[in-house]
Amino acid sequence: MKYLKIKNIGPIIDIDIELNKLNIFIGPQSSGKSTITKIACFCSWVEKKITLLNVNQELLSKEGAFAEELVRFHKLTGYLQDDSYIYYESDILKIEYHHSEKSPVFTWKKRFKYKKGKISYIPSERNIVATIPNWINIKFIDNSTRSFMSDWDEARNAYKEESPLNILNVGAKYFFDGENDRVIVNRLNKELELTNTSSGLQSLIPLLVLFDYLYDWIYHNENPESVKDIKDKNTTDRELEQAVLNSAEHANIQEAKLDILKRNFKEIHHTSAYLEEPEQNLFPEAQRDLVGELIHFNNLNENHSLTITTHSPYILSSINNLMYAYQAGKKDKQKVCTIISEQNWINYDEVRAYFVSDGMVTSILDDEIKQIKAETIDEVSNILNKEYEDLLEIDN
């Protein structure tokens, strides 16, 4: 479990939330969903950086460095003010940042319990890799969009013509031929470049390729060179040993435990993705199928996590069905599996869902029925129905 507090950053006035294995934020445009997600992702990244290498803690502790990195990477220029505040807590570390003081305070809890993870922020503008054929030749500022494109360039190389990736049940397969992203559209019996496919496929393919790669492929295949490079740039054996010796815990760490620490710090053990608007360009049925696939990926490892921002009631309804399947499966697993595959079920206890509005957040989970509250999902429908009833009354 993680905890996050944010005050007076962008549209956010004051929030205090828990984060779990699956986190959902829904709300109107510009309400602050992405702001929360970006800060959660950034704090998780900072935790990783300073845990793996002491010098990163020194760099991020310098006056202004923490805020500058947050603003640069997540494009939050103009969001911070004198009374802005961030508090993040995990099992490993506490981070407290008052913008007026310019430097964060890091408090270790259990540094040597940390297991290295892969962190990926997937922005709403991700379709750029499908809509612009020569995107790889364009120079981008080093921010979350550029980071996503780097992840995509790494991921697509894993899917060759001899081993393409099936794209849900839409009758399409994706592969990369070394120069172009190509899609086999079975229903048309054609092979197309990704840029020439429908908007739905351009939305689905980058997302599913990246999730399959980050949540599954890298754990069953030899890590690619870029992942090896990440390892080499992080904690070396010597640095880790020195960190242990400098720690108050060093007396309890035996040689065998040091070997475990080396593996925990140098190998990738889990993935955390922060995803904006998975519903882009998708019909409600495709949204349902996509949610099932994303949850399947998240279920592959007990330490994987996924955070989603959305405007779509279909996303929430789909998640509700998967949570209900988990509950009903306790009574009759076989029958439930004929409706929803067990690999897509969600344990309600591992979910946090929030409505973001007016700078605040409200939990939209109903602990009694173990579902997302129906009134949140149907809010817009209720408004439309009320309008219709008012018009009907005038007409009659």
Side-chain angles (χ1 to χ4, degrees), residues 383-396:
I383 293 171
L384 293 173
N385 288 338
K386 179 63 167 59
E387 286 180 352
Y388 183 82
E389 290 170 1
D390 291 345
L391 292 171
L392 186 63
E393 184 175 340
I394 293 172
D395 190 44
N396 290 337

Side-chain angles (χ1 to χ4, degrees), residues 126-253:
R126 60 186 172 273
N127 291 10
I128 190 172
V129 299
T131 55
I132 300 179
N134 62 337
W135 63 268
I136 200 167
N137 297 320
I138 300 174
K139 291 186 177 180
F140 289 87
I141 297 172
D142 184 17
N143 55 28
S144 57
T145 302
R146 186 69 188 90
S147 177
F148 158 73
M149 294 169 74
S150 177
D151 283 345
W152 162 255
D153 192 40
E154 180 180 290
R156 63 180 182 161
N157 280 281
Y159 304 94
K160 306 300 184 183
E161 186 171 6
E162 59 272 18
S163 56
L165 179 67
N166 285 311
I167 305 302
L168 296 181
N169 58 354
V170 299
K173 297 180 180 180
Y174 166 86
F175 68 93
F176 181 60
D177 67 7
E179 294 183 2
N180 299 295
D181 302 292
R182 307 194 70 82
V183 181
I184 302 170
V185 183
N186 298 340
R187 285 176 295 185
L188 301 177
N189 196 28
K190 287 185 177 180
E191 184 180 299
L192 304 172
E193 288 192 23
L194 180 56
T195 54
N196 295 328
T197 59
S198 68
S199 61
L201 284 177
Q202 290 181 8
S203 178
L204 275 175
I205 288 173
L207 196 52
L208 289 174
V209 169
L210 196 57
F211 266 78
D212 187 84
Y213 177 77
L214 294 178
Y215 279 78
D216 191 21
W217 194 93
I218 61 174
Y219 298 97
H220 300 286
N221 297 272
E222 183 179 357
N223 281 340
E225 287 303 315
S226 54
V227 176
K228 289 179 181 176
D229 288 344
I230 291 172
K231 288 182 178 182
D232 293 340
K233 291 174 184 175
N234 282 323
T235 312
T236 66
D237 292 351
R238 178 62 180 167
E239 288 166 340
L240 180 57
E241 289 167 7
Q242 191 61 48
V244 171
L245 291 173
N246 292 339
S247 168
E249 300 179 41
H250 75 273
N252 299 321
I253 298 181

Side-chain angles (χ1 to χ4, degrees), residues 210-381:
L210 196 57
F211 266 78
D212 187 84
Y213 177 77
L214 294 178
Y215 279 78
D216 191 21
W217 194 93
I218 61 174
Y219 298 97
H220 300 286
N221 297 272
E222 183 179 357
N223 281 340
E225 287 303 315
S226 54
V227 176
K228 289 179 181 176
D229 288 344
I230 291 172
K231 288 182 178 182
D232 293 340
K233 291 174 184 175
N234 282 323
T235 312
T236 66
D237 292 351
R238 178 62 180 167
E239 288 166 340
L240 180 57
E241 289 167 7
Q242 191 61 48
V244 171
L245 291 173
N246 292 339
S247 168
E249 300 179 41
H250 75 273
N252 299 321
I253 298 181
Q254 302 165 356
E255 187 174 348
K257 290 184 178 180
L258 185 58
D259 288 337
I260 295 174
L261 282 173
K262 289 176 183 178
R263 291 198 298 272
N264 287 348
F265 275 43
K266 294 175 73 65
E267 297 175 8
I268 297 175
H269 293 266
H270 58 86
T271 295
S272 297
Y274 299 80
L275 170 61
E276 292 185 353
E277 302 173 23
E279 67 270 15
Q280 285 184 356
N281 302 323
L282 299 181
F283 190 69
E285 184 179 1
Q287 292 184 40
R288 179 204 65 188
D289 294 343
L290 175 60
V291 167
E293 192 70 357
L294 295 180
I295 298 306
H296 162 59
F297 286 127
N298 201 35
N299 286 342
L300 290 175
N301 181 328
E302 65 179 2
N303 294 315
H304 282 341
S305 66
L306 172 60
T307 299
I308 294 172
T309 70
T310 183
H311 299 115
S312 173
Y314 301 111
I315 297 291
L316 298 189
S317 295
S318 300
I319 289 170
N320 258 354
N321 283 357
L322 300 183
M323 288 192 292
Y324 198 19
Y326 181 91
Q327 295 178 59
K330 295 177 182 177
K331 295 182 178 179
D332 196 326
K333 180 177 178 179
Q334 187 173 357
K335 283 187 178 179
V336 174
C337 283
T338 64
I339 302 170
I340 296 176
S341 172
E342 185 180 5
Q343 66 185 12
N344 300 348
W345 297 358
I346 306 173
N347 182 349
Y348 174 84
D349 294 335
E350 296 181 336
V351 178
R352 295 294 179 269
Y354 300 99
F355 185 80
V356 185
S357 181
D358 299 324
M360 312 289 281
V361 298
T362 305
S363 174
I364 54 175
L365 292 174
D366 188 324
D367 290 336
E368 184 175 347
I369 62 172
K370 297 186 182 298
Q371 292 273 275
I372 295 171
K373 294 176 181 177
E375 57 265 31
T376 305
I377 297 174
D378 295 332
E379 183 177 9
V380 175
S381 297

